[in-house]
Amino acid sequence: MSTIQPTQARHIPDRLDRPLRSALLGWEALLVAVAVAIFIINSFASPYFLDVWSLSDLTFNFTEKALIALAMALLIIAGEIDLSVAAIIALASTLMGMAVQFGFSTPALVGIGICVGLACGVFNGLLVTRLGLPSIVVTISTMSLFRGIAFIILGDQAYKGYPASFAFFGQGYVWWVVSFELALFLAAAVVYYVLLHRTNFGRYVFAIGNNPVAAQFSGVRVDRIKLVLFCLTGLMSGIAAVLITSRLGSTRPSIAQGYELEVITMVVLGGVSILGGSGSIAGVVLAALIMGLVTFGLGLLNVPGIVMSIFVGLLLILVIALPLVWRRFMRKAA
Amino acid sequence: MNRLIRNREIWLAGAIALLIGLISTRFGAFASPGNLATIFNDTSILMILALGQMVVILTRSIDLSMASNLAFTGMVVAMLNAAFPAIPVPVLMLVAAGVGLLLGAVNGLLVWKLDIPSIVVTLGTLTIYRGATFVISGGAWVNADRMSPTFIGLQRMQFIGVPLLSWFAIVGIALFFLMLTRTALGRSFYAIGVNPTAAVYAGINVGRTKFLAFCISGLVAGICGYLWVSRYVIASVEIANGYELNIIAACVIGGISIAGGIGSVGGTVLGALFLGIISTALPVINVSPFWQMAISGSAIILAVVLNARGERRQGRIILKKAEAA
């Protein structure tokens, strides 16, 4: 009956009651199956797919967004969201480009990119925690503010002329086919896995997402942790800005347009509840891989990017709808 | 609460008057009735869209797919017009309304029947609808020489000295005002936003009401699809890209609480006008249009900060957050 919906929405499911671990394993197992299926379909669909260098190129499709998705997963688990990540990339990249014009060296450029990202994250976090504003509104507005500043600085121009050594971050390889981007992403995934699943901080993130008021009364510093999470998201966006700028070798204010959507899709596809309170890093990593496989496979088949976005959108809705339908079906059966 | 809203509208009206005053000290013609009427006409589409969005936001939901819906319906009617110029324009407008309504109903059904958070549903349909625009058009444009003169000219026709486009906005404002203040449906939108649990006990079907809100925003986006295409005389995949944020910005600046239940037609209209005036004024005072994005971003932050202070005085923001979680 739809009349009891709002009470259901308010009802916070007692997640301890359910075998959380097995449920998550179930979701992750499903993701692995999907990834394998797409992998097989891809290798049949295109003769160019099954090649070590093709597969290496494939990783460039998702590592930058996936780096942000790691931090975004924590933020969404804690019940907040950051829509400004792509705009942070634009601003950080623009300021890096500006620094190039003043003759800054490569390490300084990297530092600028990361610091700008961090600063943007702090700005978002302070607005949300100190002023108690809903994060979706704050980050919608900073989304146009950050990108707006990039437009003010650059207009319809572009920055180029990055130093040759700067190209390593987005184009270099650490070992054989393992790119710097991929290595960095794998390292970050381990760090975020430990942070979310093996530390008190991670437990607090889940606690806040399940019930911020209860977390507050249990002595969790809700606002401080949320602030840290916004900083992490900003930081990862700054790092992503360095990678993208280095890979493209130029900056336009429209850089990374629409990335926020793909990042959030990755997180949700990875089994993180958009309502907060549950999710895992392994799921997000698998989801990133799936999105990379889908877009790369469609790209090999010459499907235009905008048609790919239909698949991404459908994936997002289906992935959320199916478990809900399934759960309702099970409840009716019980 | 009522007094609060009225206060907010007065503040906003004051800010707009101040803005116009400041600009007209340097450019006297800016405040002339003719120019103000032009600004109103230019803002008409944004106003209508913001009213549709407002109804959705009142019910604690959000519709991010409006601009994509607009692009899709705009493309549909433009292609119909190019292929069959004999179809009368009013019929095309009905088609636009119908297609928009359908797309809105898809959003609404997903929110109603599957209980998926509206932000996820409409993030998904935002990309799907725009992708579908590409699919039906093959990426091609429909431009002026393929549109019939009435298709382009209808909204420019004058009625009592006011272009038809402005009349659309005026009638839209009146209809939304009547619906929200004089009908049971309007009251239930507010009731759901203020307290969904209490709304259930008051006999309101929350899911169905949300569905209707999405139908309204879809319908409005569809009609605006025709208006947009005939106003800018181009239908392409790219039209109104990112415009959903302007629509939400107009609502938030107009004092609509993103937590639902608070907001008025007057506020929304003023919020849209505020953005319209800024975008008209920037070239006049010789500021590069590239400033507009940052300015509207700052305007939303400012508006939200002010709104939040108003809401906090009620002393129930924690409760609301707990409910939203």
Side-chain angles (χ1 to χ4, degrees), chain A residues 53 55 72 98 114 134-135 153 159 196 205 226 228 244 255:
Chain A
W53 287 102
L55 295 177
M72 182 78 86
M98 210 175 175
I114 292 175
S135 56
I153 295 172
Y159 280 134
L196 182 63
V205 170
K226 281 185 179 172
V228 171
I244 294 171
I255 192 172

Side-chain angles (χ1 to χ4, degrees), chain A residues 189-205:
Chain A
V190 172
V191 169
Y192 273 91
Y193 173 81
V194 171
L195 184 65
L196 182 63
H197 298 294
R198 292 281 177 272
T199 65
N200 288 347
F201 182 85
R203 295 309 300 166
Y204 294 154
V205 170

Side-chain angles (χ1 to χ4, degrees), chain A residues 3 6 131 261 306 320 328, chain B residues 113 117 120 123 127 134 200 312:
Chain A
T3 43
L131 297 174
L261 208 71
I306 187 145
I320 298 185
R328 192 168 301 174
Chain B
K113 289 299 179 191
V120 179
L123 260 182
T127 58
F134 179 89
V200 170
R312 189 172 289 183

Side-chain angles (χ1 to χ4, degrees), chain B residues 61-325:
Chain B
S61 306
I62 197 157
D63 187 352
L64 297 173
S65 72
M66 284 184 94
S68 302
N69 185 338
L70 181 156
F72 183 81
T73 26
M75 181 58 83
V76 168
V77 289
M79 285 173 71
L80 275 176
N81 182 250
F84 311 102
I87 303 177
V89 176
V91 173
L92 285 179
M93 289 180 60
L94 282 179
V95 170
V99 173
L101 179 68
L102 195 72
L103 298 186
V106 170
N107 289 334
L109 274 179
L110 287 167
V111 170
W112 177 19
K113 289 299 179 191
L114 293 180
D115 245 341
I116 310 177
S118 59
I119 178 168
V120 179
V121 169
T122 54
L123 260 182
T125 52
L126 171 139
T127 58
I128 295 173
Y129 294 165
R130 199 168 287 278
T133 314
F134 179 89
V135 172
I136 60 165
S137 66
W141 296 9
V142 180
N143 42 23
D145 49 327
R146 291 175 61 204
M147 297 176 189
S148 69
T150 25
F151 185 83
I152 300 167
L154 183 76
Q155 59 156 301
R156 289 175 176 73
M157 288 194 320
Q158 306 256 324
F159 179 66
I160 330 182
V162 176
L164 227 47
L165 179 60
S166 294
W167 279 111
F168 271 106
I170 293 166
V171 171
I173 292 166
L175 286 179
F176 271 93
F177 182 79
L178 287 177
M179 179 186 69
L180 287 174
T181 58
R182 296 286 181 275
T183 68
L185 183 66
R187 294 313 297 166
S188 56
F189 288 138
Y190 282 99
I192 289 175
V194 172
N195 190 337
T197 314
V200 170
Y201 290 121
I204 296 170
N205 186 334
V206 173
R208 200 175 60 103
T209 312
K210 280 189 176 177
F211 168 74
L212 290 175
F214 277 100
C215 288
I216 291 172
S217 73
L219 177 79
V220 156
I223 295 170
C224 287
Y226 161 72
L227 292 176
W228 185 290
V229 167
S230 66
R231 172 150 188 83
Y232 299 104
V233 212
I234 178 115
S236 77
V237 178
E238 291 297 311
I239 63 165
N241 204 354
Y243 205 67
E244 58 277 347
L245 295 177
N246 291 41
I247 303 170
I248 295 168
C251 289
V252 171
I253 292 172
I256 314 299
S257 165
I258 210 84
I262 302 174
S264 71
V265 171
T268 308
V269 170
L270 288 174
L273 278 176
F274 184 79
L275 287 178
I277 288 169
I278 287 181
S279 64
T280 320
L282 286 183
V284 174
I285 56 172
N286 247 334
V287 173
S288 142
F290 290 117
W291 278 76
Q292 185 173 354
M293 209 173 177
I295 290 179
S296 42
S298 322
I300 311 174
I301 296 180
L302 204 64
V304 185
V305 171
L306 294 175
N307 286 352
R309 296 181 66 156
E311 274 162 43
R312 189 172 289 183
R313 246 173 263 142
Q314 295 179 312
R316 49 166 305 190
I317 203 156
I318 294 171
L319 245 174
K320 258 190 187 160
K321 270 189 142 179
E323 271 170 9

Side-chain angles (χ1 to χ4, degrees), chain A residues 28 35 80 122 127 136 154 161 178 184 224 268 309 318 330:
Chain A
E28 281 146 14
E80 303 286 343
V122 171
L127 280 175
I136 177 164
L154 261 175
V178 179
L184 185 65
R224 178 176 294 188
V268 174
S309 70
L318 283 180
M330 292 303 279

Side-chain angles (χ1 to χ4, degrees), chain A residues 250-331:
Chain A
S250 72
T251 297
R252 282 180 195 284
S254 59
I255 192 172
Q257 193 111 45
Y259 270 29
E260 62 278 341
L261 208 71
E262 291 186 49
V263 169
I264 291 167
T265 308
M266 269 180 199
V267 173
V268 174
L269 183 63
V272 173
S273 162
I274 196 82
L275 302 173
S278 69
S280 77
I281 291 297
V284 174
V285 172
L286 283 169
L289 180 64
I290 288 177
M291 297 223 351
L293 282 168
V294 169
T295 48
F296 190 74
L298 292 173
L300 281 180
L301 298 175
N302 282 328
V303 174
I306 187 145
V307 178
M308 276 183 215
S309 70
I310 298 185
F311 285 93
V312 175
L314 278 176
L315 207 61
L316 175 68
I317 291 180
L318 283 180
V319 154
I320 298 185
L322 288 180
L324 289 168
V325 174
W326 176 249
R327 212 172 298 155
R328 192 168 301 174
F329 178 74
M330 292 303 279
R331 205 179 293 152

